C-alpha cells in the first residue's frame, strides 16, 4: 500500500491465521521497523489492535490501515499481489526460511510459553499482545537487525498470540482480544 501526497509509504504482509483472523505485518519505509497487528472480524465489524484503531474504535465505521490492507487482500487479491510481488528467487528463499522458523517455533513451543508467561507477569498494567511478542522476540533473538528477523518476528508474534489465547482459555489471564489483563 503506497502513500500519496507526502504520506509515508508502507508495505503490508497479510497472513490469514483463521477464517476471520489475520496477522498484518506493517513495514514502515521511514523507520524500517516492522510492527505486527492482529485484525479480526467479530461478525459485524473489523477489529485491530493497533493504537490508531484503539483510539478511534468507538466509531463503528472506522477502519485503520491494517483493516484496509486485509480488506484489499480479500477483495482485490490480484491487485495487492502485483504491488508486493518480488523476484521468485527471494520469494522461495523467504518461504524456505519461513518454514524453517515455523518448524523451530513448533519445537520450542514450551520455551516460548514460559517466556511469554514471564513477560506477562512483568507487565505492570494491561498490555498489548504485540508488546509481549516484541519482548519475547528480543529475549530469544536480541534486537532485530536483518530482513530475516522480520520473518522471525512474524512467527514469534503468531505463536505468542496463540499462547495468550490458550492462557486465557485456561483461566490464567484475562484477554479481551486486544489487551492482556492480569487475573
Amino acid at each position: 500500500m503506497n502513500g500519496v501526497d507526502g504520506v509515508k509509504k508502507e508495505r503490508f504482509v497479510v497472513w490469514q491465521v483463521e477464517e476471520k483472523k489475520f496477522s498484518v505485518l506493517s513495514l514502515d519505509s521511514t523507520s524500517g521497523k516492522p510492527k505486527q497487528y492482529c485484525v479480526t472480524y467479530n461478525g459485524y465489524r473489523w477489529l485491530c489492535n493497533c493504537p490508531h484503531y484503539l483510539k478511534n474504535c468507538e466509531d463503528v465505521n472506522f477502519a485503520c490501515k491494517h483493516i484496509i490492507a486485509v480488506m484489499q487482500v480479500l477483495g482485490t487479491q490480484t491487485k495487492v499481489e502485483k504491488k508486493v510481488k518480488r523476484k521468485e528467487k527471494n520469494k522461495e528463499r523467504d518461504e524456505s526460511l519461513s518454514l524453517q522458523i515455523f518448524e523451530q517455533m513448533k519445537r520450542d513451543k514450551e520455551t516460548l510459553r514460559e517466556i511469554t508467561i514471564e513477560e506477562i507477569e512483568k507487565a505492570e498494567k494491561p498490555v498489548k499482545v504485540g508488546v509481549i511478542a516484541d519482548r519475547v522476540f528480543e529475549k530469544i533473538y536480541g534486537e532485530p537487525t536483518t530482513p530475516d528477523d522480520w520473518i522471525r518476528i512474524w512467527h514469534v508474534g503468531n505463536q505468542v498470540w496463540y499462547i495468550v489465547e490458550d492462557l486465557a482459555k485456561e483461566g490464567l489471564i484475562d484477554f479481551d482480544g486486544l489487551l492482556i489483563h492480569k487475573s
Side-chain angles (χ1 to χ4, degrees), residues 8-183:
K8 65 184 176 182
K9 295 181 179 182
E10 291 189 80
R11 293 184 306 163
F12 298 97
V13 178
V14 177
W15 185 266
Q16 189 168 9
V17 178
E18 294 176 9
E19 182 181 355
K20 296 178 182 180
K21 183 187 276 186
F22 298 83
S23 177
V24 179
L25 182 65
S26 176
L27 303 174
D28 183 335
S29 64
T30 305
S31 70
K33 292 190 176 185
K35 295 282 186 180
Q36 180 179 358
Y37 299 101
C38 181
V39 174
T40 57
Y41 185 72
N42 69 1
Y44 70 96
R45 72 184 282 197
W46 288 98
L47 307 169
C48 183
N49 64 344
C50 75
H52 192 220
Y53 180 83
L54 295 175
K55 182 179 176 184
N56 297 285
C57 65
E58 291 174 7
D59 176 2
V60 294
N61 296 316
F62 178 78
C64 65
K65 59 191 173 185
H66 310 104
I67 291 172
I68 292 169
V70 169
M71 290 168 50
Q72 283 184 331
V73 168
L74 291 175
T76 58
Q77 185 72 32
T78 54
K79 290 179 184 175
V80 174
E81 285 176 351
K82 287 178 186 174
K83 286 183 182 180
V84 296
K85 193 170 185 179
R86 294 177 287 172
K87 294 180 182 175
E88 286 302 312
K89 180 179 174 184
N90 289 340
K91 184 178 177 184
E92 289 172 12
R93 183 193 63 82
D94 288 353
E95 287 173 354
S96 173
L97 176 63
S98 185
L99 184 59
Q100 291 171 9
I101 293 168
F102 176 72
E103 291 299 324
Q104 179 185 357
M105 294 292 138
K106 283 185 0 187
R107 287 191 305 271
D108 298 340
K109 189 169 184 175
E110 274 309 306
T111 303
L112 282 171
R113 181 181 166 96
E114 290 171 15
I115 295 170
T116 300
I117 292 170
E118 182 180 303
E119 291 302 322
I120 291 171
E121 288 173 352
K122 285 183 193 176
E124 296 289 328
K125 54 187 175 184
V127 63
K128 296 178 194 172
V129 176
V131 171
I132 297 297
D134 288 346
R135 291 178 186 166
V136 170
F137 177 86
E138 288 179 9
K139 194 162 195 170
I140 295 172
Y141 296 105
E143 186 72 25
T145 56
T146 68
D148 290 352
D149 286 340
W150 297 347
I151 297 171
R152 285 186 185 90
I153 287 171
W154 186 84
H155 282 291
V156 168
N158 278 337
Q159 291 301 315
V160 168
W161 185 273
Y162 293 131
I163 291 167
V164 166
E165 285 183 333
D166 288 345
L167 293 172
K169 288 175 187 171
E170 295 168 18
L172 299 174
I173 61 170
D174 291 325
F175 178 55
D176 63 12
L178 298 173
L179 297 172
I180 300 168
H181 305 271
K182 289 187 179 180
S183 292

